[in-house]
Amino acid sequence: MDEEAAPFLDSCRRIGPDVEFGRARYYPLSHEGRSILLVRSGIGLVNAASAATTAIAASEPRAVLSAGSAGGLRQDVEVGDLAVGDSYTFTDADATAFGYERGQVPGMPVDYAPHGGLLDAARRLVPEDGTHHVGQMLAGGSFVTQSNVKDTREAFPHAVTTDMETTAIAQVCTSHHVPFLSVRGVSDLCGPAADQDFHMSVEIVARRSADAVLAVIRATDGVPA
């Protein structure tokens, strides 16, 4: 969303005109001497996969990082927390009738892994301390809400967050052998307890996500080890 792209535009210098292609907008940026292509994909798996494919074909990036907001799933997650994905799975893919695992698209892996160097950098920069979580991230074509969160939690008991883009981008990056990592801020709780706040402004969590992503880029110097 525009709100999720805004922190990058505020922190980086534009080095060329932005381009709109399909549903996505592409911003050539520079941050501390490093070139970054910011992609605002639009919401949803297809928009995300399409934008990621175009960006990879056009720019041959050293790595792709997914930033923005997500819904919190695990009971210890609170709004405002930061999540780093150590695996990525589709929430609502279900071909179990044919022997596949829940979340697995037929013919594809059960889940997708981040690049080890990027994940290690994120672990050092955003340690798990109760407000930062490292774990499984989900993505699907439906919002997970109070009405359907029970099924999602039962199927993926260790999942930290869910959104509508991350796993699609991870699949594209895996197919093209491009290092990937997702770092997202929790803006909503999919099934909050009675004493939990359930919503925080997207602008706030997007800033936290963007700051963490830029820190990972800085730590790896844009080239995963």
Side-chain angles (χ1 to χ4, degrees), residues 73 91 142-150 152 162 189-191:
L73 275 175
T91 310
S142 303
F143 283 104
V144 177
T145 65
Q146 185 82 42
S147 63
N148 60 7
V149 69
K150 184 176 184 292
T152 303
T162 182
L189 298 183
C190 299

Side-chain angles (χ1 to χ4, degrees), residues 106-164:
M108 302 301 293
V110 174
D111 55 23
Y112 301 91
H115 184 272
L118 293 172
L119 179 60
D120 288 345
R123 285 185 183 276
R124 292 192 298 270
L125 294 165
V126 287
E128 293 182 83
D129 62 359
T131 60
H132 301 82
H133 309 273
V134 179
Q136 183 183 40
M137 284 184 168
L138 307 176
S142 303
F143 283 104
V144 177
T145 65
Q146 185 82 42
S147 63
N148 60 7
V149 69
K150 184 176 184 292
D151 172 71
T152 303
R153 282 182 172 152
E154 288 177 350
F156 307 100
H158 303 296
V160 177
T161 62
T162 182
D163 60 69
M164 299 182 72

Side-chain angles (χ1 to χ4, degrees), residues 19-42:
V19 175
E20 189 166 1
F21 183 74
R23 301 287 297 182
R25 185 170 290 275
Y26 303 81
Y27 301 86
L29 306 175
S30 176
H31 183 262
E32 298 180 358
R34 301 172 184 88
S35 295
I36 297 173
L37 179 63
L38 173 66
V39 182
R40 188 221 64 201
S41 66

Side-chain angles (χ1 to χ4, degrees), residues 29 45 69 71 79 90 119 131 135 148 160 163 181 214 216:
L29 306 175
L45 299 175
S69 61
V79 291
F90 288 106
L119 179 60
T131 60
N148 60 7
V160 177
D163 60 69
L181 182 73
L214 291 173
V216 170

